[in-house]
């Protein structure tokens, strides 16, 4: 088990890296930053030659893969971090230093068990993209097909594991303090992050996700997924169809090619809604570096390491919440939150509906350019606090992806209205899913499946509730050895972790977005 001093050293090192690159200036200047944290941020840069222009991308890159993932998310949100920071963070999408080709060759041959010449007729030694977890090369297979070969960076899995251990350690200490922080359930948040990264580090699972999403999106025009070459795919290597296109972040090139940017933005939003609401399986890493536009205007998505799933009941709640916000039916939105048990029952539905109205009304009928998204998020965050709403870790990935999609769509069309764009799709899906025919069919299927599950259900009840009684155990969380600290040092420990930057920023953004 990693020692306490090791975790503290990592946190301090990350904070020092951020300070040295000028990336803690925002924490120092933010009036909402607690005074002890602001002081520690200043201490972190003592003796460092801080650049006049913050170098956010360099700082996140120096910290490691997990921080790079955070930076890629922030790059889609200039309204939150500012245009200057967002433009700098765009360098994290695919402009990282590549590994030498010798290391890539060794990784491919060790993983696929064959010399590279027997797999590919030609292989470009210079990568077309180098990201935090893998880099991609262009190649031609021995049967003449143009492909993209994604190769996992050697050692990246071990580095992720080390970083996440420290995340778990920090989250456990912060959650022990109780109060507002405990309500946000940081340990469960980190547990979800751990599962997401584990999936992303197995390229066979990424290939399977791409194949599954391609099947689900066959009926969605203008949104395509490259095909997988399973004979040249393993846990550390993935080969897929090569796609020629313009990066969706290259607005000038898209305009020069004659593409309709507002139409592309609307198509992206509706494609995401289909994935999340209709299919319950969505691409959860939709930043600019993973989206391209082909000559015929189709959107092509790549990089399926992070995928999200939502069960049907949660999708129904989500669709009704979105449609209620679109139409201004705040009472129904409030009722759904109580039905889903997102809000404790001791609160008043009408009061919660009024709180939602205070946040929702300023958004309706206005383009993004006239909205303060930061102010809106602050308002929503205040509601969760005022009504004792615990963080729902299973929805964090969806929230993060919705923020990404909005950021990309807004970059294409600054005047897009997300509510008006998504309204027709959500309305049609609800009409189909909540109609009498759908309700009757769902009832018959559900009753039949319930009857089939009865024998196994009885056995599970007997196992979970033995004769001595008792409730089923909660989902397991990793054991974390806590430091023994007195009450007077507890706040200092929280301030230290916050000043370190990496953990606090990840938790804050995940929970608020």
């Amino acid at each position: 088990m990693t020692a306490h001093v090791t975790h503290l050293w990592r946190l301090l090192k990350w904070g020092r890296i951020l300070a040295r690159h000028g990336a803690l200036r925002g924490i120092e200047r933010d009036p909402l930053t607690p005074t002890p944290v602001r002081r520690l941020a200043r201490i972190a840069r003592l003796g460092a030659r801080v650049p006049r222009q913050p170098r956010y991308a360099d700082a996140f890159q120096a910290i490691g893969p997990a921080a790079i993932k955070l930076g890629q998310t922030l790059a889609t949100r200039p309204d939150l971090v500012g245009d200057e920071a967002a433009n700098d963070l765009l360098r994290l999408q695919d402009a990282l230093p590549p590994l030498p080709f010798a290391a890539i060759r060794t990784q491919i041959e060790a993983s696929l068990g064959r010399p590279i010449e027997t797999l590919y007729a030609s292989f470009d030694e210079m990568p077309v993209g180098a990201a935090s977890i893998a880099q991609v090369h262009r190649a031609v297979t021995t049967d003449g097909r143009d492909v993209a070969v994604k190769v996992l960076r050697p050692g990246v899995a071990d580095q992720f594991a080390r970083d996440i251990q420290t995340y778990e350690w920090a989250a456990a200490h912060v959650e022990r303090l109780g109060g507002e922080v405990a309500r946000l359930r940081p340990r469960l948040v980190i547990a979800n992050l751990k599962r997401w990264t584990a999936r992303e580090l197995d390229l066979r699972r990424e290939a399977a996700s791409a194949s599954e999403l391609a099947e689900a999106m066959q009926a969605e025009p203008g949104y395509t997924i490259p095909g997988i070459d399973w004979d040249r795919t393993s846990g550390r290597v993935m080969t897929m169809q090569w796609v020629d296109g313009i990066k969706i972040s290259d607005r000038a090139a898209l305009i020069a090619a004659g593409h309709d940017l507002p139409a592309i933005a609307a198509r992206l939003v509706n494609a995401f809604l289909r994935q999340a609401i209709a299919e319950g399986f969505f691409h959860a890493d939709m930043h600019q570096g993973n989206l391209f536009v082909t000559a015929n205007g189709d959107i092509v998505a790549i990089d399926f390491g992070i995928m999200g799933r939502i069960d049907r009941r949660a999708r129904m709640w989500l669709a009704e919440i979105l449609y209620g916000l679109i139409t201004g039916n705040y009472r129904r939105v409030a009722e759904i939150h109580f039905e889903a048990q997102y809000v404790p029952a001791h609160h008043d539905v009408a009061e919660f509906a009024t709180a939602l109205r205070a946040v929702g009304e300023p958004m309706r009928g206005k383009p993004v350019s006239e909205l303060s998204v930061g102010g809106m998020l602050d308002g929503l965050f205040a509601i969760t606090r005022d009504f004792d709403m615990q963080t729902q870790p299973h929805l964090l990935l969806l929230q993060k992806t919705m923020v990404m999609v909005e950021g990309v769509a807004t970059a294409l069309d600054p005047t897009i209205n997300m509510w008006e764009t998504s309204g027709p799709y959500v309305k049609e899906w609800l009409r189909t899913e909540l109609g009498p025919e759908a309700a009757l069919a769902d009832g018959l299927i559900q009753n039949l499946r319930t009857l089939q599950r009865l024998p196994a259900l009885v056995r599970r009840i007997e196992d979970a509730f033995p004769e001595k009684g008792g409730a089923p155990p909660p989902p397991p969380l990793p054991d974390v050895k806590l430091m023994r600290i007195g009450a007077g040092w507890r706040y200092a420990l929280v301030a230290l972790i916050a000043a370190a930057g990496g953990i606090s920023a990840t938790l804050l953004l995940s929970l608020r977005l």
Side-chain angles (χ1 to χ4, degrees):
M1 183 175 291
T2 306
H4 299 309
V5 67
T6 302
H7 293 305
L8 286 170
W9 172 251
R10 288 175 186 164
L11 291 169
L12 287 170
K13 183 174 64 174
W14 295 341
R16 182 66 172 173
I17 291 171
L18 291 169
R20 192 169 62 244
H21 289 85
L24 290 183
R25 284 180 175 168
I27 293 178
E28 293 185 43
R29 297 172 180 173
D30 192 338
L32 298 179
T33 301
T35 300
V37 176
R38 188 180 295 110
R39 288 172 181 167
L40 284 170
R42 291 171 180 165
I43 292 172
R45 62 173 170 81
L46 283 179
R49 297 184 62 182
V50 179
R52 180 173 301 177
Q53 193 76 15
R55 297 196 297 266
Y56 300 99
D58 294 341
F60 280 70
Q61 181 181 334
I63 292 174
I68 289 173
K69 284 296 177 186
L70 170 64
Q72 290 172 347
T73 302
L74 294 178
T76 69
R77 301 302 302 185
D79 52 328
L80 295 179
V81 301
D83 292 333
E84 179 183 322
N87 290 334
D88 186 70
L89 289 170
L90 280 174
R91 295 190 287 119
L92 293 173
Q93 306 294 3
D94 60 359
L96 300 183
L99 290 176
F101 180 67
I104 295 299
R105 172 189 279 272
T106 300
Q107 183 84 314
I108 293 174
E109 294 182 343
S111 184
L112 297 179
R114 294 167 59 186
I116 195 171
E117 290 80 10
T118 65
L119 297 163
Y120 308 99
S122 65
F123 198 101
D124 192 345
E125 296 187 5
M126 289 299 298
V128 295
S132 57
I133 289 178
Q135 63 188 51
V136 180
H137 293 254
R138 186 171 187 174
V140 178
T141 62
T142 51
D143 54 359
R145 290 177 291 109
D146 287 332
V147 293
V149 184
K150 184 174 184 178
V151 186
L152 206 65
R153 286 175 173 259
V156 70
D158 293 336
Q159 187 172 357
F160 254 109
R162 289 193 299 268
D163 288 353
I164 288 182
Q165 279 184 353
T166 299
Y167 286 15
E168 290 173 337
W169 182 91
H173 281 84
V174 170
E175 190 167 300
R176 188 174 65 165
L177 300 177
E180 173 69 8
V181 174
R183 181 185 67 81
L184 297 176
R185 298 196 286 184
R187 294 189 67 195
L188 278 177
V189 173
I190 297 302
N192 272 6
L193 175 64
K194 186 175 182 178
R195 285 194 294 271
W196 302 337
T197 55
R199 296 169 189 167
E200 192 170 7
L201 292 170
D202 185 346
L203 296 185
R204 286 170 299 193
R205 295 184 66 176
E206 178 175 346
S209 296
S211 177
E212 182 178 351
L213 186 62
E215 290 181 4
M217 296 297 288
Q218 284 181 352
E220 184 72 20
Y223 188 93
T224 60
I225 309 296
I228 300 296
D229 183 343
W230 287 101
D231 293 333
R232 295 171 177 83
T233 294
S234 68
R236 290 175 288 171
V237 179
M238 182 178 69
T239 304
M240 63 194 311
Q241 173 190 356
W242 178 265
V243 176
D244 286 311
I246 301 172
K247 278 192 176 182
I248 206 166
S249 60
D250 195 343
R251 198 170 188 274
L254 292 173
I255 294 173
H259 291 298
D260 185 344
L261 268 58
I264 293 173
R267 189 183 312 133
L268 178 66
V269 172
N270 285 311
F272 167 70
L273 290 172
R274 179 180 182 87
Q275 293 174 35
I277 295 178
E279 305 297 337
F281 183 63
F282 60 94
H283 184 199
D285 204 11
M286 285 190 178
H287 63 69
Q288 296 101 320
N290 289 338
L291 297 168
F292 295 81
V293 179
T294 60
N296 66 353
D298 286 354
I299 297 173
V300 180
I302 62 171
D303 196 351
F304 307 96
I306 303 179
M307 304 296 293
R309 289 191 186 275
I310 318 174
D311 63 37
R312 190 172 187 277
R313 183 174 59 174
R315 279 151 44 205
M316 295 295 296
W317 286 333
L318 172 64
E320 284 203 79
I321 288 171
L322 287 175
Y323 191 62
L325 291 173
I326 292 167
T327 58
N329 189 353
Y330 302 107
R331 174 74 186 196
R332 179 55 187 152
V333 175
E335 290 172 350
I336 294 168
H337 277 75
F338 280 79
E339 291 172 13
Q341 299 180 6
Y342 294 157
V343 179
H346 63 268
H347 286 287
D348 182 77
V349 176
E351 285 295 325
F352 187 63
T354 301
L356 288 170
R357 180 183 294 273
V359 176
E361 280 299 300
M363 298 186 299
R364 297 181 61 212
K366 292 184 179 180
V368 173
S369 58
E370 297 180 15
L371 292 176
S372 171
V373 178
M376 178 194 70
L377 291 173
D378 285 341
L380 290 173
F381 190 60
I383 287 178
T384 66
R385 182 173 57 250
D386 294 343
F387 287 86
D388 305 316
M389 292 172 60
Q390 286 193 323
T391 297
Q392 304 298 322
H394 65 288
L395 294 179
L396 287 178
L397 193 58
L398 175 67
Q399 294 168 353
K400 167 200 165 190
T401 309
M402 291 177 71
V403 169
M404 276 190 177
V405 170
E406 183 190 44
V408 176
T410 303
L412 291 170
D413 179 13
T415 64
I416 189 173
N417 186 299
M418 298 295 291
W419 302 111
E420 291 179 357
T421 302
S422 58
Y425 181 88
V426 176
K427 180 180 180 180
E428 177 61 23
W429 190 82
L430 283 174
R431 187 192 66 79
T432 303
E433 293 297 316
L434 295 180
E437 299 89 350
L440 178 61
D442 284 347
L444 292 173
I445 293 172
Q446 185 175 5
N447 290 337
L448 177 61
R449 289 177 177 171
T450 299
L451 289 173
Q452 292 173 336
R453 293 196 304 268
L454 274 179
L457 178 62
V458 171
R459 287 193 294 271
R460 289 198 298 273
I461 292 175
E462 290 176 343
D463 293 339
F465 296 93
E467 293 182 4
K468 64 180 180 180
L477 290 171
D479 292 330
V480 176
K481 185 178 180 181
L482 299 174
M483 293 179 64
R484 293 185 178 181
I485 51 177
W489 287 93
R490 291 185 179 181
Y491 187 75
L493 178 62
V494 177
L496 176 64
I497 293 173
I503 300 298
S504 62
T506 302
L507 288 175
L508 179 61
L509 288 164
S510 297
L511 296 170
R512 293 188 64 179
L513 302 184

